[in-house]
Amino acid sequence: MKVAVVGATGLVGTKMLQVLDERNFPVTELIPVASEKSVGKEITFKGKQYKVVSVEDAIKQKPDLALFSAGGSTSLAQAPLFAEAGITVVDNSSAWRMDPTKKLVVPEVNADTLTAEDKIIANPNCSTIQMVVALKPLHDKYKIKRVVVSTYQSVTGTGVKAVDQLFNERNGVEGPMAYPYTIDLNVIPQIDVFTENGYTKEEMKMILETKKIMGDDSIKVTATTVRIPVMGGHSESVNIEFVNDFDLAEVRELLAAAPGVVVVDDTANLKYPMPLDAHDKDEVFVGRIRRDETQDNTLNCWIVSDNLRKGAATNAVQIAEYLAAKNLIGSAVEA
């Protein structure tokens, strides 16, 4: 399969290449795409060198699939050009997520909604992805009424500039600032810009995307998203109120059996999920599973996942894997 990676030189694009390699996705030809200033640069994939090309050149080469991680404005302008050429796009930006004509997909939750006609498929927000992977089996069994989530998000979610800021501050070096404040030894209760209702865009993404992915507008979600000075993954404290009561042992069994979930919940031995342990892994880790004793049918848990992998690159590749397995892209569709 001929695969274009748009934004191939960025933090997520680089991770996409790594995940494609690790998961042995059937790439017969790679077409790395980036901004004009990166055209001509070389990247290595599976031991071979590939030159970065422009969007126009990539489309001329007629890839079967284009994985996008190049920002919202780029996706709005360029994803339709690929789609019009019959190329299936999996887009990691926020550009298409809430478009009612586009699917918003987490494979463990709603891959079965995809068809060969879906030419632009949206990859959800990183913090939403890891949460819904854990919510899905519980919603199926007990029906979720309301979710209260507070996030503790890695600087890698902002990009290379934020990682540099953290380490510059740690080393006493002055440099460009990705955030309006110091991030080292600090916590910033703002991710993305504020909207009119006092929530940030990141918080609204979690609220709206959860309903769309789960296919249930009755689920109430409220979120507070926070940037913390860590690498390796996002963490979430999640309080879930169900319509029906649950048994804690059964909750653990359901989560342990769910695709993409690893339960790390042994407080007697101080075992619980942490970003350090989730780093460079594809699973969603769930622990601190306990009943909320202040109200009926309510559960507390702690969810951690690598935001560059499951929260971005891996989820996009898993969507592509599903499309390939179901013969929904490439020459299989034409045949």
Side-chain angles (χ1 to χ4, degrees):
M1 193 176 295
K2 204 185 274 195
V3 179
V5 175
V6 183
T9 56
L11 207 55
V12 175
T14 305
K15 193 61 72 174
M16 279 177 174
L17 294 170
Q18 181 188 335
V19 173
L20 285 167
D21 184 1
E22 287 174 3
R23 296 175 74 93
N24 287 315
F25 190 81
V27 180
T28 50
E29 188 181 336
L30 178 74
I31 306 168
V33 187
S35 62
E36 290 299 326
K37 68 176 189 287
S38 295
V39 169
K41 282 184 182 173
E42 288 199 337
I43 63 155
T44 306
F45 179 72
K46 284 188 178 286
K48 280 180 69 179
Q49 296 293 110
Y50 293 88
K51 271 202 162 65
V52 173
V53 301
S54 67
V55 165
E56 293 73 24
D57 285 344
I59 293 171
K60 281 179 197 161
Q61 292 182 53
K62 295 200 177 311
D64 303 293
L65 170 72
L67 299 176
F68 263 70
S69 190
S73 56
T74 303
S75 293
L76 282 173
Q78 296 175 357
L81 303 177
F82 282 81
E84 284 156 18
I87 301 156
T88 301
V89 173
V90 179
D91 180 50
N92 191 54
S93 80
S94 60
W96 305 98
R97 290 177 188 157
M98 296 315 298
D99 183 328
T101 67
K102 305 292 183 284
K103 307 277 174 63
L104 183 65
V105 176
V106 176
E108 296 90 338
V109 180
N110 63 339
D112 58 354
T113 63
L114 290 169
T115 69
E117 284 68 53
D118 292 310
K119 287 300 176 196
I120 298 177
I121 300 159
N123 207 32
N125 178 264
C126 47
S127 45
T128 308
I129 289 173
Q130 66 186 67
M131 185 170 76
V132 297
V133 168
L135 292 183
K136 171 66 173 156
L138 303 180
H139 182 55
D140 288 348
K141 180 71 179 179
Y142 309 115
K143 189 163 172 54
I144 294 171
K145 190 171 169 184
R146 181 172 185 254
V147 177
V148 182
V149 55
S150 297
T151 72
Y152 306 71
Q153 293 180 225
S154 162
V155 292
T156 56
T158 309
V160 174
K161 189 177 176 184
V163 175
D164 290 344
Q165 179 183 335
L166 173 61
F167 283 101
N168 282 342
E169 289 167 355
R170 193 148 289 188
N171 296 317
V173 175
E174 280 199 27
M177 302 272 286
Y179 304 116
Y181 301 102
T182 299
I183 185 63
D184 191 31
L185 298 177
N186 193 25
V187 165
I188 302 173
Q190 176 194 350
I191 297 179
D192 212 327
V193 297
F194 284 99
T195 61
E196 283 183 6
N197 64 359
Y199 287 77
T200 64
K201 267 194 179 175
E202 182 85 355
E203 289 157 358
M204 292 311 299
K205 285 173 193 173
M206 291 194 79
I207 291 164
L208 298 171
E209 290 178 23
T210 298
K211 295 169 186 275
K212 183 171 178 179
I213 299 161
M214 302 283 278
D216 190 339
D217 280 340
S218 75
I219 300 173
K220 294 176 180 173
V221 183
T222 188
T224 303
T225 59
V226 181
R227 190 72 67 191
I228 65 170
V230 300
M231 305 274 286
H234 292 347
S235 305
E236 299 171 348
S237 171
V238 188
N239 179 272
I240 313 155
E241 182 185 359
F242 299 102
V243 172
N244 303 301
D245 201 10
F246 56 85
D247 173 76
L248 275 178
E250 186 181 48
V251 165
R252 290 189 180 92
E253 284 169 19
L254 287 167
L255 288 168
V261 176
V262 175
V263 174
V264 183
D265 191 40
D266 179 8
T267 52
N269 291 298
L270 309 186
K271 300 287 186 189
Y272 31 70
M274 293 183 292
L276 272 176
D277 303 318
H279 178 60
D280 238 9
K281 296 190 174 73
D282 288 329
E283 295 82 11
V284 172
F285 299 87
V286 186
R288 297 299 317 280
I289 300 163
R290 63 210 189 275
R291 191 176 283 277
D292 178 347
E293 297 182 343
T294 67
Q295 64 174 11
D296 294 339
N297 307 352
T298 306
L299 183 80
N300 282 312
C301 64
W302 177 252
I303 302 171
V304 180
S305 193
D306 185 321
N307 54 293
L308 292 183
R309 289 188 67 106
K310 184 54 184 169
T314 301
N315 198 74
V317 173
Q318 286 173 319
I319 292 171
E321 287 172 343
Y322 180 88
L323 294 168
K326 299 291 182 184
N327 295 327
L328 301 176
I329 41 171
S331 53
V333 176
E334 288 146 33

